Amino acid sequence: MSSASIASATATNFAADNPSNSLLQLEAFDIPSSRNVHGNAFPLGLRPTASTENPSIEDVTAHIRELADQGIIQSLLNKQPDKRLDGVILFRGLSVTDAAAFSAFTESFKFPKHYQEIGLAGKRSIVAGNVKTANEEPPDVKFYYHTEYGRSADYPDILFFYSEIVPEQGLRSSFSACRSGQTPILSSVELCDRLEKDLPQFYHDLTTKGIIGRQYFPAPNTDEAKTIGWNWKDSYGFDIQPNDSLDVQHSKVASVLASKLQAKAEWQSNGALHVLQTLPAIRRVKSTNKPTFFNGFAGVYGRGRDNGALKPPYRGADGGVHLPTTYGDGSEIPIGYLERLLEIQDEIGFLTPWQPGDVALIDNQTAQHARTPWVGKRSLLVSLWKGHERLGAM
Ligand SMILES: [Fe+2]
């Protein structure tokens, strides 16, 4: 099926669901080179119909609230067999002109609650309401595919990305451009299909053993904390009081890790912290009973490799410490599997062709995302939410 006919088939389904008394009607549109994943467009593009073009943001949020009240948004994301999406909707032309409008747009979906980040290991600033910068690392830094907080027992279910400013090269570029800032996305369900087919032993090992993710957090007030931009106190020290001894600080951090993330603290001789998270690498989408690749260890490996940090002490050219993920029994994940995993992710990935004002709704349970470098000025904002359904065990 061509992507155009996928889009029109989905449009027929979607139009039938649109509330009839709204000032806005949404229709599916064809996104060039979008992928067909399990019979659906990936991503699904939605925009106003010709007769309701250029809606006000008030009309947009009212319409989305109606869709949410009627359970239509939820049914799209709950992956019912006839409407199931593998996780990404690209909204275009909905008058989302700034961070405040983006915040209002995300609120209108009526997802249960904002996701509170615990253990931030990146640079993000609050812009408005529940809206933050996506990441403030330099534009030449590539991120590999990952599930947002896939290393954690506490993760967001829904991510919104808002393309506020598209870099000039992004607007001109084709899909083959690698410095365009276009956001790579893939279906985590399709990735499981491919791993089971191409690397059955790896898939079996991941499913049966799980993984242990490890992260390094430098001590506060150290040069490396300044270089990296965060430390264990910032990330986990919410309960620490000014006069707490170091031992008390450590026990408070360990308690946050254990109670909120089911994670373990290992203190290092230089005052740094290793956080160990023993988790499944593959989980199950409850409403479809399908396995989904839910983790970020391919990116941990890729970034460690690119920074020459695959051997102890895992210190990279970027100044960071890139602790390797192992299987859940502590054994190494073979590099051959990791390299092939990165290749497969690229083979099934799609680069989101941002236009100013676009918003992508990413179902974090069934889609992974990444970051391509860019040239020039770009602004990508995020909003993270808990959804209606949590993942199950395999
Ligand atoms: Fe991310």
Side-chain angles (χ1 to χ4, degrees):
M1 192 185 253
S2 73
S3 71
S5 55
I6 293 167
S8 64
T10 316
T12 305
N13 291 342
F14 197 82
D17 287 334
N18 266 258
S20 55
N21 57 348
S22 174
L23 294 170
L24 170 66
Q25 294 285 307
L26 292 173
E27 65 177 9
F29 69 96
D30 193 24
I31 300 172
S33 300
S34 66
R35 303 191 67 252
N36 175 354
V37 177
H38 300 133
N40 287 311
F42 182 90
L44 170 65
L46 290 180
R47 68 180 177 197
T49 56
S51 60
T52 62
E53 267 181 356
N54 302 316
S56 69
I57 187 66
E58 289 77 18
D59 287 344
V60 169
T61 53
H63 184 70
I64 299 289
R65 278 195 296 274
E66 271 187 87
L67 294 175
D69 286 341
Q70 295 179 14
I72 292 167
I73 296 294
Q74 197 174 337
S75 73
L76 277 174
L77 293 170
N78 275 0
K79 306 109 192 168
Q80 292 173 4
D82 57 334
K83 301 176 191 170
R84 171 182 52 79
L85 295 176
D86 273 352
V88 180
I89 305 174
L90 181 65
F91 294 96
R92 182 163 287 168
L94 294 183
S95 306
V96 183
T97 51
D98 57 21
F102 174 49
S103 180
F105 183 71
T106 66
E107 297 284 345
S108 68
F109 285 78
K110 297 191 172 182
F111 288 119
K113 61 177 179 175
H114 300 162
Y115 170 73
Q116 302 295 334
E117 293 185 84
I118 300 173
L120 183 64
K123 296 173 186 172
R124 276 183 178 157
S125 309
I126 294 173
V127 177
N130 188 44
V131 173
K132 297 177 178 177
T133 53
N135 192 290
E136 295 174 23
E137 291 203 49
D140 61 342
V141 176
K142 165 182 176 168
F143 294 173
Y144 288 87
Y145 283 103
H146 60 280
T147 305
E148 195 72 4
Y149 284 91
R151 62 175 187 275
S152 177
D154 183 47
Y155 53 85
D157 301 296
I158 302 291
L159 322 173
F160 290 94
F161 286 177
Y162 165 50
S163 173
E164 186 179 36
I165 300 172
V166 180
E168 191 194 338
Q169 196 161 336
L171 283 169
R172 283 189 281 117
S173 70
S174 68
F175 283 8
S176 60
C178 62
R179 293 176 68 80
S180 61
Q182 291 173 329
T183 299
I185 51 173
L186 62 76
S187 160
S188 315
V189 180
E190 184 181 21
L191 182 52
C192 276
D193 297 345
R194 283 293 301 270
L195 287 176
E196 191 171 18
K197 181 164 154 281
D198 294 7
L199 296 171
Q201 186 61 48
F202 182 37
Y203 185 76
H204 177 264
D205 291 344
L206 286 175
T207 307
T208 53
K209 296 180 185 175
I211 50 173
I212 304 176
R214 293 172 179 77
Q215 270 187 294
Y216 179 92
F217 291 82
N221 305 315
T222 56
D223 286 344
E224 66 171 332
K226 281 175 205 140
T227 304
I228 293 174
W230 61 91
N231 61 67
W232 54 255
K233 196 170 177 179
D234 286 348
S235 297
Y236 300 109
F238 325 115
D239 301 331
I240 291 174
Q241 300 299 319
N243 295 325
D244 284 347
S245 68
L246 189 59
D247 279 352
V248 170
Q249 293 184 38
H250 282 190
S251 71
K252 285 184 173 177
V253 166
S255 166
V256 165
L257 286 171
S259 63
K260 298 197 185 294
L261 304 181
Q262 297 147 44
K264 206 170 119 193
E266 284 186 355
W267 299 100
Q268 307 300 304
S269 56
N270 66 349
L273 167 68
H274 288 186
V275 172
L276 275 65
Q277 295 185 283
T278 303
L279 292 165
I282 295 166
R283 306 190 201 195
R284 195 170 284 284
V285 180
K286 283 187 184 159
S287 49
T288 59
N289 209 31
K290 288 195 184 287
T292 185
F293 191 78
F294 194 87
N295 61 77
F297 72 83
V300 172
Y301 166 74
R303 205 155 173 182
R305 179 196 64 185
D306 296 351
N307 282 287
L310 294 182
K311 298 236 176 329
Y314 308 109
R315 172 90 48 195
D318 60 353
V321 174
H322 302 266
L323 300 176
T325 302
T326 64
Y327 286 125
D329 60 8
S331 60
E332 271 183 35
I333 300 175
I335 280 183
Y337 288 160
L338 293 163
E339 288 287 336
R340 183 68 190 122
L341 169 58
L342 292 179
E343 286 173 4
I344 293 171
Q345 287 178 314
D346 282 340
E347 286 166 18
I348 66 171
F350 174 80
L351 288 170
T352 308
W354 292 122
Q355 292 188 10
D358 282 356
V359 177
L361 186 164
I362 296 178
D363 178 351
N364 196 38
Q365 297 186 355
T366 56
Q368 290 200 311
H369 62 280
R371 175 170 106 151
T372 55
W374 67 90
V375 173
K377 186 168 169 53
R378 177 179 96 146
S379 172
L380 192 75
L381 303 179
V382 300
S383 182
L384 311 179
W385 292 78
K386 294 260 194 178
H388 295 93
E389 172 184 289
R390 299 295 280 173
L391 288 165
M394 281 295 287

